[in-house]
Structure formats: structure tokens, C-alpha cells
Amino acid sequence: MIKILHKLPRKRIIALSGGSDSIAAYDFCKRYHEVECVFVDHNTETSKKAKEFVAELCERDQTGLKIFKISRSKNKDESWEEFWRNERLSFFHSLNEEIITGHNLDDCIETWIMSSLHGNPKLIPYRNKNIIRPFLLNKKEELRNWCIRNNTEWIEDESNKDTKYIRNHIRQNMMPDILKINPGIHKTIFKKIIEMEK
């Protein structure tokens, strides 16, 4: 069962990447309300494939889709992760409506670990201006299982395997050991999210 943090808005606009997290969010939301989607094209080969997948899905479902293509060049002091994130946020914040993302509990754990290593532990908040993250209480596995149970296809982002990116390194190389040290880390961060949102 998918858990929702706070109420979903009546008008539901999903940030759709094509991955299992956003697809689960999209499939969950469209079962109860009409939805629209937004997609950010990172101007990479992987993003091109994702855009085609998302466009076909929305056309099949007759779902409105707005596509934003990153056009500026990356600054020298930005990592690629920062660059893409900054551009996504800039686009989402330029919209007047609330935007729903598929961020989940595993994303929160990775962010907490990454920020702790830099001396400033923090969690992904439910809200960032008009961006809301109602699926933070769900493990990534739970969102993926939703897709499987409901015969909903998604695509895998091959760049997620590239450990030159810090988050991927944490996910691929560090998390197995972290789970051995603290098998209950999901419960720990789950409680922290609940406390933060009280």
C-alpha cells in the first residue's frame, strides 16, 4: 500500500521522468484524479529515450504533457548532478501550479548520508516552494512493486549505474554496508520525516 504524506492537491501535475518512482506516482494519482505531466529534457542520449517513452505514455493515456529542454551550458563550478538539479528546480519553480515528484524514502536516506558526510545532515523536505513530495514515506522497492502489480511499465536510467556521481556511489557502493551496520535505517529516517512534518 502506498503511503501519502499530507493530502494530495486537487490539481495533480506529475514530474515524470519515466523511472519507476515517477511512474508509480503518476499511476497512483491518475486512478483518482485527472493528471497532467511535466518532463525535463537533460539534453543527453538517456534523456532522449526517456522523453520518447514519456511522450508515448502520455499520448496513449491522453494525458497533457509539458516538456522543458535544458538549453544553457553547465557552469564550471557545478557538478553535472547540481546542474541538472538546478535546471529542474528552475523550471518547476517557474510554473504556477504545485508539482508532484516521486521522491521516496531511499532518496531521503541517500540525501541524509550525503549531507552528513559534508557536516550538515538534512532530509528532503515535503515542500520546496511549489514542489511537493508526498511519497517520501515509501521505499523505492514499494513504488517499484506498485508498478509490477499494476502491469505498469517504466524505463531504467542507465546513468544511475555510473558511480562517478556521488548519489550513485552512495546507492551502489555504500548502502549495502550501511544496511549491514544499521538494518533499521529506513525506520529511523521514516520517523525523522514524520517528526519534521509535525
Side-chain angles (χ1 to χ4, degrees):
M1 179 65 72
I2 285 183
K3 299 173 282 294
I4 297 298
L5 185 62
H6 303 309
K7 290 183 178 180
L8 290 169
R10 177 162 291 277
K11 185 172 185 181
R12 299 177 183 181
I13 303 178
I14 315 297
L16 198 58
S17 67
S20 58
D21 307 339
S22 70
I23 291 293
Y26 167 71
D27 187 70
F28 180 87
C29 288
K30 77 181 179 66
R31 289 171 181 267
Y32 307 102
H33 284 277
E34 185 177 343
V35 301
E36 296 176 13
C37 294
V38 292
F39 176 85
V40 177
D41 184 354
H42 291 179
N43 204 24
T44 64
E45 191 60 34
T46 298
S47 191
K48 179 182 177 182
K49 293 176 182 177
K51 180 173 67 174
E52 291 172 356
F53 174 83
V54 166
E56 289 176 7
L57 173 65
C58 289
E59 183 177 6
R60 185 195 71 196
D61 291 349
Q62 296 184 318
T63 299
L65 173 65
K66 184 179 293 186
I67 296 175
F68 169 74
K69 185 171 183 176
I70 295 175
S71 56
R72 78 167 174 91
S73 300
K74 182 178 77 68
N75 297 327
K76 290 183 179 180
D77 61 346
E78 284 180 306
S79 68
W80 282 106
E81 289 173 295
E82 290 173 323
F83 169 59
W84 289 324
R85 179 179 181 275
N86 289 340
E87 287 300 289
R88 286 195 302 271
L89 290 177
S90 177
F91 170 58
F92 295 155
H93 290 327
S94 73
L95 303 174
N96 293 323
E97 301 90 355
E98 288 184 318
I99 309 299
I100 297 171
T101 72
H103 285 92
N104 57 69
L105 184 56
D106 290 87
D107 293 323
C108 282
I109 292 171
E110 292 160 8
T111 295
W112 185 75
I113 292 168
M114 185 161 50
S115 57
S116 295
L117 291 173
H118 288 89
N120 184 29
K122 60 183 179 180
L123 296 171
I124 299 174
Y126 165 76
R127 178 179 291 277
N128 178 354
K129 297 181 181 179
N130 65 320
I131 300 170
I132 61 172
R133 304 170 177 113
F135 299 95
L136 291 178
L137 300 179
N138 303 272
K139 294 180 181 179
K140 183 179 183 69
E141 180 184 13
E142 292 169 334
L143 296 179
R144 182 167 296 207
N145 286 340
W146 172 276
C147 294
I148 293 170
R149 287 196 306 271
N150 292 287
N151 297 313
T152 304
E153 294 183 355
W154 72 88
I155 57 172
E156 296 289 351
D157 184 346
E158 290 300 315
S159 68
N160 287 337
K161 298 177 182 177
D162 192 341
T163 54
K164 72 181 180 184
Y165 302 120
I166 296 173
R167 184 176 292 275
N168 291 345
H169 177 72
I170 292 171
R171 183 179 299 160
Q172 303 292 341
N173 299 329
M174 295 177 64
M175 281 306 300
D177 287 331
I178 288 168
L179 287 168
K180 287 179 183 177
I181 296 168
N182 182 4
I185 193 167
H186 286 87
K187 290 182 180 179
T188 299
I189 300 302
F190 184 103
K191 290 178 181 177
K192 284 184 174 292
I193 294 170
I194 295 294
E195 289 171 2
M196 182 173 66
E197 294 302 322
K198 283 183 179 177

